[in-house]
Each structure stands twice: as C-alpha cells, then as structure tokens.
Amino acid sequence: MHAVEQYARAHIVTDTADSLDDEHRAVPVALRYDPDTDPRRVHVTLPGPHEWTFERELLEQGLRVPVDSGEVRIWPCGRVQAVLEFHSTQGVAVVQLDTKALMRFLRRTYMAATPVAH
C-alpha cells in the first residue's frame, strides 16, 4: 500500500476578508492519506501551514450532506462545490473546493487501501 497525496486549489470563504479579491483568491491545498500509518483518516493542509486530520468517512459523507466532528464541518455547496470549515484556537478557516477534486482524492485513497491480489 502506498500514500496518496493530491494538490487542489481552494477558495477562501470568509466574512473577515479585507477585500473582495481576498475573499475569492485561490489557495493551494494538500490532501494526504497514508493507509500504513492511519488507514481511517485523511489530512488537509492549508497555507500557513495549517493541517487538519479527520475521518475519511466524514469527507465522503460531507460531499452529500452536512456533517461535522466538532472542529471540522463539511457540506455540499451546489452541485460542484463543497465547503470545509476548520475550527482551531487561532480561529476559523472556511474553504470551498471542487467536488470533483475531492471525489478523485477519495477514489485514490480507496484504491491505495485495497491490497493488490497476486
């Protein structure tokens, strides 16, 4: 089994942006999954660096219906976007990602977690 790492572009969604340009600027996001060290969890890293680790199942469910696990909330936003909201002692980070990128990442994680038959 091997680790999966995928990069995506996310848009910051917040009411604290200094300008409209800040609110809609794209930021790089790293999505990681390592079935050898933690087969049930995924890692999302935002610039800063800020990393959140949460159940892979939460991400999968959040693409269909609103879900949360306390510090992480995920919900669909229309047909092609998903919103991820991360809470920490430093504040709240809210980002919007393309659902296709998240679904591609999830597919890759399930492929990586499945043992190859010989």
Side-chain angles (χ1 to χ4, degrees), residues 11-12 17-26:
H11 291 277
I12 296 173
D18 293 332
S19 71
L20 191 58
D21 288 340
D22 284 347
E23 186 173 334
H24 295 289
R25 70 184 163 99

Side-chain angles (χ1 to χ4, degrees), residues 1 9 13 31-32 35 38 40 45 54 56 63 67 71 73 80 82 84 87 94 98-99 110:
M1 293 188 276
R9 308 264 323 144
V13 181
L31 306 167
R32 286 187 302 105
D38 201 352
R40 295 175 36 152
T45 305
F54 54 93
R56 178 173 57 171
L63 296 179
V67 294
E71 66 182 28
R73 295 181 182 144
V80 297
L84 285 72
H87 294 256
V94 182
D98 287 337
T99 302
Y110 285 110

Side-chain angles (χ1 to χ4, degrees), residues 16-71:
T16 60
D18 293 332
S19 71
L20 191 58
D21 288 340
D22 284 347
E23 186 173 334
H24 295 289
R25 70 184 163 99
V27 297
V29 174
L31 306 167
R32 286 187 302 105
Y33 170 75
D34 189 344
D36 293 330
T37 59
D38 201 352
R40 295 175 36 152
R41 300 173 71 77
V42 295
H43 304 265
V44 176
T45 305
L46 300 175
H50 303 286
E51 180 174 282
W52 284 268
T53 303
F54 54 93
E55 296 290 323
R56 178 173 57 171
E57 187 177 318
L58 187 75
L59 179 59
E60 184 176 351
Q61 291 174 354
L63 296 179
R64 294 186 308 271
V65 297
V67 294
D68 76 80
S69 71
E71 66 182 28

